[in-house]
C-alpha cells in the first residue's frame, strides 16, 4: 500500500458544525444513532460470548475477526498506509480500544451484571473529556468540572452500594477500563483530525494482529470452547458490530452532524444497555441502576453544554 501523504484531508470526523443539506444531516443523525445502538449491545453480546468462550479467547478472536474485516476494507479501498509519525498514536488506540477496554470489561462481566457494568462505564464520556483536557490542553469551565465530579461521585456511590460497601475485582476492572478506553478515544480523536476516523480504528486493529494472533493460539489451547447459538452470535456481534461496523457508522454520523450533536445521542447508551440487559439476558434491575444512569446522563449533558 502507498504511504499516506501528510496533506491528506480529514474526512471521517467533523470538528465544527454540519455543512451538509437537511437530508445529509438526517442521514448523519441516523448513522450516529445506529452507532450508539451498536455500542449499547456490546455488554449483552459479551455476556453471550462468555457462555461458550473463555475471556482471553473471546477477546483475541473478536479482535482478529474485526481486523480481518477492517483489513479487507482497507485493502479493497486501497487506503494509504499511515505515516510513521502516526504509529505511536495508533498503538495507543490499539492498546486502549482494541485490547484494553474489551479485555478488562470482559473480565469484569464474568462476575458483574451487564446493568452494573453499563452504569459504571456510563462515566466514559466524562473520563474521555478529562483525558482530552490533559492531552490536548483544553481548559473546560468550572461548570464542566463540577458536573464531571458529580457524575463520578454518583457512579462511585452506586458501585459501593451495589458491592455491599466495598469495591469488587469486577469494579476494579471496570474503572481501569474507563482509563484505558478514555486514553484510546482521546488519541483516536486526535488522529481523526488528519485521517478518516474509521481508518484510525481499522489500522489499530490491523497493527494489533502480531499480538492478538499468538494470544488467540495460547488462549484457545487452555480455555475450552463450547459453541452455542448465543456464544457465536455474541462473538460475531462484538467483532463485526461493536468493534468495526459500529465505529464506521458512528464516525460517518459525526462527519455529517458534527461532534457536539453526535455526543448528545451517545448519552442514551447506558440506558439502552440497561434495556438490552433485561430483554436479552433477563436481568432484574435495582432501582438504583436506572436512577444512577439518568443522573450520569444529566451530568454529561451539563458538561457538553459547558464545553460549548
Amino acid at each position: 500500500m502507498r504511504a499516506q501523504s501528510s496533506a491528506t484531508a480529514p474526512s471521517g470526523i467533523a470538528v465544527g458544525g454540519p455543512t451538509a443539506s437537511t437530508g445529509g444531516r438526517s442521514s448523519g443523525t441516523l448513522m450516529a444513532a445506529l452507532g450508539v445502538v451498536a455500542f449499547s449491545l456490546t455488554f449483552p453480546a459479551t455476556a453471550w460470548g462468555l457462555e461458550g468462550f473463555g475471556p482471553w479467547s473471546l477477546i483475541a478472536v473478536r479482535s482478529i475477526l474485526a481486523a480481518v474485516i477492517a483489513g479487507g476494507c482497507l485493502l479493497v479501498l486501497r487506503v494509504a498506509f499511515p505515516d510513521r509519525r502516526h504509529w505511536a498514536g495508533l498503538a495507543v488506540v490499539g492498546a486502549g480500544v482494541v485490547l484494553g477496554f474489551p479485555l478488562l470489561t470482559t473480565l469484569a462481566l464474568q462476575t458483574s451484571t451487564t446493568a452494573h457494568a453499563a452504569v459504571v462505564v456510563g462515566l466514559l464520556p466524562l473520563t474521555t473529556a478529562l483525558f482530552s483536557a490533559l492531552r490536548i490542553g483544553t481548559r473546560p469551565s468550572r461548570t464542566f468540572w463540577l458536573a464531571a465530579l458529580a457524575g463520578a461521585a454518583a457512579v462511585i456511590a452506586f458501585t459501593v452500594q451495589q458491592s455491599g460497601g466495598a469495591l469488587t475485582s469486577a469494579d476494579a476492572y471496570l474503572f481501569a477500563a474507563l482509563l484505558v478506553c478514555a486514553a484510546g478515544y482521546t488519541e483516536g480523536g486526535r488522529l481523526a483530525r488528519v485521517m478518516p476516523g474509521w481508518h484510525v480504528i481499522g489500522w489499530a486493529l490491523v497493527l494489533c494482529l502480531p499480538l492478538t494472533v499468538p494470544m488467540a493460539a495460547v488462549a484457545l489451547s487452555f480455555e475450552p470452547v463450547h459453541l452455542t447459538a448465543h456464544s457465536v452470535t455474541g462473538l460475531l456481534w462484538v467483532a463485526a458490530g461493536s468493534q468495526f461496523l459500529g465505529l464506521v457508522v458512528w464516525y460517518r454520523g459525526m462527519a455529517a452532524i458534527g461532534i457536539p450533536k453526535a455526543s448528545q445521542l451517545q448519552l442514551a447508551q447506558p440506558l439502552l444497555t440497561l434495556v438490552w440487559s433485561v430483554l436479552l439476558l433477563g436481568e432484574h434491575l435495582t432501582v438504583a441502576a436506572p436512577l444512577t444512569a439518568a443522573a450520569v446522563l444529566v451530568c454529561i449533558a451539563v458538561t457538553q453544554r459547558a464545553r460549548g
Side-chain angles (χ1 to χ4, degrees):
M1 291 184 180
R2 297 174 289 107
Q4 181 170 323
S5 170
S6 59
T8 301
S11 60
I13 192 168
V15 176
T19 58
S21 64
T22 300
R25 289 194 295 270
S26 298
S27 175
T29 299
L30 176 61
M31 287 290 183
L34 289 174
V36 171
V37 173
F39 300 149
S40 71
L41 282 161
T42 299
F43 284 173
T46 299
W48 275 6
L50 287 172
E51 293 181 12
F53 294 88
W56 295 90
S57 299
L58 181 62
I59 293 305
V61 174
R62 72 176 270 186
S63 297
I64 292 172
L65 290 178
V68 169
I69 298 171
C73 292
L74 292 169
L75 184 64
V76 169
L77 297 176
R78 297 184 178 182
V79 174
F81 197 77
D83 286 343
R84 185 182 295 273
R85 60 193 175 94
H86 298 316
W87 289 6
L90 290 171
V92 174
V93 175
V97 178
V98 176
L99 296 176
F101 183 79
L103 176 60
L104 291 166
T105 53
T106 299
L107 292 173
L109 286 172
Q110 291 186 104
T111 55
S112 172
T113 65
T114 59
H116 181 94
V119 173
V120 176
V121 176
L123 200 61
L124 182 58
L126 298 181
T127 311
T128 303
L130 297 179
F131 269 79
S132 178
L134 294 172
R135 179 69 173 90
I136 303 175
T138 57
R139 294 182 178 274
S141 67
R142 181 177 298 179
T143 301
F144 172 91
W145 291 113
L146 290 175
L149 290 174
V155 169
I156 293 172
F158 167 82
T159 303
V160 172
Q161 187 271 331
Q162 293 289 299
S163 302
L167 296 179
T168 65
S169 59
D171 295 324
Y173 286 136
L174 291 171
F175 282 116
L178 284 174
L179 297 178
V180 298
C181 189
Y185 275 3
T186 299
E187 197 64 21
R190 187 187 67 81
L191 288 173
R193 296 177 177 179
V194 294
M195 67 176 73
W198 79 269
H199 290 188
V200 175
I201 187 61
W203 286 119
L205 284 163
V206 171
L207 292 177
C208 282
L209 282 173
L211 293 175
T212 54
V213 170
M215 177 179 170
V218 174
L220 289 171
S221 66
F222 284 96
E223 295 178 339
V225 175
H226 305 287
L227 297 181
T228 64
H230 273 185
S231 63
V232 172
T233 301
L235 170 64
L236 293 177
W237 182 260
V238 293
S242 300
Q243 195 136 37
F244 183 67
L245 296 178
L247 286 166
V248 170
V249 295
W250 172 246
Y251 280 118
R252 287 191 64 183
M254 283 200 294
I257 66 177
I259 293 174
K261 289 187 177 180
S263 297
Q264 295 300 318
L265 294 175
Q266 198 172 27
L267 300 181
Q269 186 174 320
L271 293 174
L272 280 174
T273 300
L274 294 182
V275 173
W276 298 132
S277 70
V278 174
L279 295 180
L280 299 179
L281 304 175
E283 293 184 1
H284 299 284
L285 300 182
T286 63
V287 176
L291 288 179
T292 305
V296 172
L297 187 153
V298 171
C299 292
I300 296 174
V302 172
T303 63
Q304 294 292 330
R305 188 176 182 86
R307 292 172 71 188

